[in-house]
Amino acid sequence: SQTLEFLRFIKYLGIYIKSGCHFMVDIGKHKAKFYTALNGILHKCKGGMDEMVIIHLANTYCRPLLLYASECVFLSNSDINSLSHSWNSIYWKLFNVNDPSCVSDIQSFTNDIPVDVDIYNRRRRFAIKLSKSNNSVMKLLAHLPMLSL
């Protein structure tokens, strides 16, 4: 007879699922990958690169790491705020600002979508794709509360 080991979380399809009574995901690993990629970009671009290029590189390489699977798993408000905080750190580092209104102005001027809006858009597109599926189970999943917008 074998004993089962208790784990705090498991990795399944790149998502870290926390143990507990309710389905929860651990975003800490995604944030760590995001910061690793961002710091790599910032290190390579030390002061000699235009801020717009760095923002473009971060959107291309770092944002997908941060928002991986955010459209298909439940994220609490604190998780979304934590992801937003991580993303906004780019603006704090590049433009030396820490006021949220300054960050939102910079995002507006650079046509960058805030993280919470991006997650909302991703969920909407995901629900639309599910509802258009020929699979009846997928159509049913499109009407889950986390996906109904």
Side-chain angles (χ1 to χ4, degrees):
S1 107
Q2 286 184 325
T3 59
L4 292 177
E5 182 183 348
F6 178 79
L7 300 172
R8 287 187 23 230
F9 60 87
I10 61 168
K11 181 180 179 182
Y12 182 71
L13 297 176
I15 301 170
Y16 293 86
I17 303 169
K18 292 181 186 179
S19 64
C21 297
H22 303 285
F23 183 82
M24 294 181 295
V25 294
D26 181 16
I27 61 170
K29 304 284 186 188
H30 296 286
K31 287 172 50 175
K33 289 179 182 180
F34 163 77
Y35 281 118
T36 301
L38 179 62
N39 287 334
I41 289 171
L42 293 175
H43 178 73
K44 291 286 183 186
C45 299
K46 280 188 183 166
M49 186 98 37
D50 183 48
E51 288 86 2
M52 293 304 297
V53 173
I54 295 173
I55 290 173
H56 176 74
L57 289 171
N59 268 309
T60 304
Y61 294 104
C62 304
R63 194 173 189 123
L65 296 172
L66 186 64
L67 299 182
Y68 179 75
S70 61
E71 62 272 13
C72 58
V73 296
F74 175 77
L75 295 173
S76 66
N77 287 337
S78 65
D79 287 340
I80 293 173
N81 289 338
S82 178
L83 293 172
S84 294
H85 181 82
S86 296
W87 180 253
N88 291 344
S89 68
I90 295 170
Y91 300 101
W92 302 333
K93 290 180 181 182
L94 288 180
F95 300 102
N96 294 322
V97 296
N98 59 5
D99 181 26
S101 65
C102 290
V103 170
S104 62
D105 287 343
I106 294 169
Q107 285 177 334
S108 170
F109 294 137
T110 59
N111 292 323
D112 194 14
I113 300 171
V115 166
D116 56 339
V117 175
D118 194 6
I119 291 172
Y120 173 84
N121 290 338
R122 286 168 176 250
R123 286 184 178 170
R124 186 175 47 82
R125 286 190 305 267
F126 183 66
I128 289 169
K129 286 180 184 178
L130 284 178
S131 67
K132 290 181 180 179
S133 172
N134 293 330
N135 187 320
S136 59
V137 174
M138 293 299 147
K139 286 184 180 183
L140 181 65
L141 289 174
H143 299 292
L144 286 176
M146 66 171 257
L147 294 176
S148 14
L149 307 170

